[in-house]
Amino acid sequence: RYSRKPLSHERVLIVGPCGVFERAVVELALYLGAKRVYFSCVSNNQKSHDMYIRMLGAKPLSKDPEDWSEELEGKIDIAIDSACIDRYEHSYKSLSEEGYLMATGMRELDKSTDMLSGVEKAWTSAWVAMNSKCHAYEGIIHHYYIERKQFVKDLIFLFNALEKGKIKPKIASRIPMIKVAGAQERHDISGESLERRGVIVVEPWLVPADNDDESRTDDSSRSSEGRKNENH
């Protein structure tokens, strides 16, 4: 699990929006040695996201699984699906003999709250739970409480990689607590375009500035301030 290149020679498929989570999976998969990363981006702005996905180092695929199902059938070692646009059918179909599916969400089914969608979600969850080639990821909080020791080991591994510059999370801005509501409103209006800029980090200790630009402190300015403090 923590070897130098645990995903060496493996093919990874990601199905979902071009969000923070999916982008992090691309970066980690490539860092861990994946031979190829495929990304089926479920988005209305397909062309724009395809260009961005290439910049990340992955191969963009159509959001319609019917378009890539035949090409990838039986070739994927790890499939990570947060969209569930077809009850994970095509993601599962793409798996190699030893491959496995990581179900990380049901975004498409969550859009509806009617009884039929509820039944479909329950059926899909049961299918994942009973299938030995599938695993459901319930989120970071759930993982912490269920597998705390493993969680700590994973976190240490990620922090070490971050400290060495092996992974570089994209931070769009840093804001004080008082600006969280405004940031959430902007995200609700144009979430996809904002997410491509990176994550917004809330730092409660920041002093609110007169405008948003002043509260956005990049790494270079922070490091230069640190050097000044050290000199004093």
Side-chain angles (χ1 to χ4, degrees), residues 168-231:
K168 300 176 181 179
K170 191 174 182 181
I171 299 176
S173 61
R174 295 178 173 84
I175 62 174
M177 186 67 73
I178 196 172
K179 293 185 179 292
V180 170
Q184 184 62 55
E185 288 178 2
R186 291 194 297 274
H187 184 273
D188 291 340
I189 295 172
S190 55
E192 287 191 347
S193 61
L194 286 174
E195 283 192 344
R196 278 187 293 168
R197 290 173 49 203
V199 297
I200 298 176
V201 179
V202 180
E203 297 184 347
W205 53 85
L206 282 180
V207 178
D210 293 333
N211 55 58
D212 288 343
D213 292 334
E214 292 179 11
S215 67
R216 294 175 183 175
T217 309
D218 59 27
D219 291 332
S220 59
S221 63
R222 291 167 66 87
S223 61
S224 63
E225 289 175 5
R227 287 194 293 271
K228 289 179 182 178
N229 293 334
E230 290 177 2
N231 292 333

Side-chain angles (χ1 to χ4, degrees), residues 125-144:
S125 297
W127 176 80
V128 170
M130 293 186 295
N131 197 311
S132 60
K133 297 185 69 173
C134 300
H135 181 75
Y137 178 68
E138 303 293 344
I140 190 169
I141 302 300
H142 181 269
H143 182 43
Y144 172 76

Side-chain angles (χ1 to χ4, degrees), residues 12-16 18 26 36-42 45-64 67-68 71-72:
V12 178
L13 169 65
I14 301 167
V15 180
C18 192
V26 172
R36 195 69 183 268
V37 178
Y38 301 90
F39 196 153
S40 173
C41 179
V42 182
N45 193 4
Q46 188 77 33
K47 186 176 180 180
S48 175
H49 282 304
D50 283 355
M51 294 174 61
Y52 187 70
I53 289 168
R54 289 190 181 92
M55 291 173 59
L56 293 175
K59 178 181 179 179
L61 302 173
S62 169
K63 68 178 182 180
D64 185 352
D67 294 337
W68 47 261
E71 175 190 354
L72 298 184

Side-chain angles (χ1 to χ4, degrees), residues 50-103:
D50 283 355
M51 294 174 61
Y52 187 70
I53 289 168
R54 289 190 181 92
M55 291 173 59
L56 293 175
K59 178 181 179 179
L61 302 173
S62 169
K63 68 178 182 180
D64 185 352
E66 292 286 351
D67 294 337
W68 47 261
S69 177
E70 185 176 350
E71 175 190 354
L72 298 184
E73 183 175 355
K75 298 179 180 178
I76 298 299
D77 300 291
I78 304 172
I80 302 168
D81 192 329
S82 62
C84 192
I85 60 177
D86 56 359
R87 299 192 300 274
Y88 305 124
E89 177 183 346
H90 289 86
S91 295
Y92 185 79
K93 188 178 179 181
S94 71
L95 297 178
S96 62
E97 186 175 348
E98 300 296 328
Y100 67 90
L101 167 66
M102 180 69 71

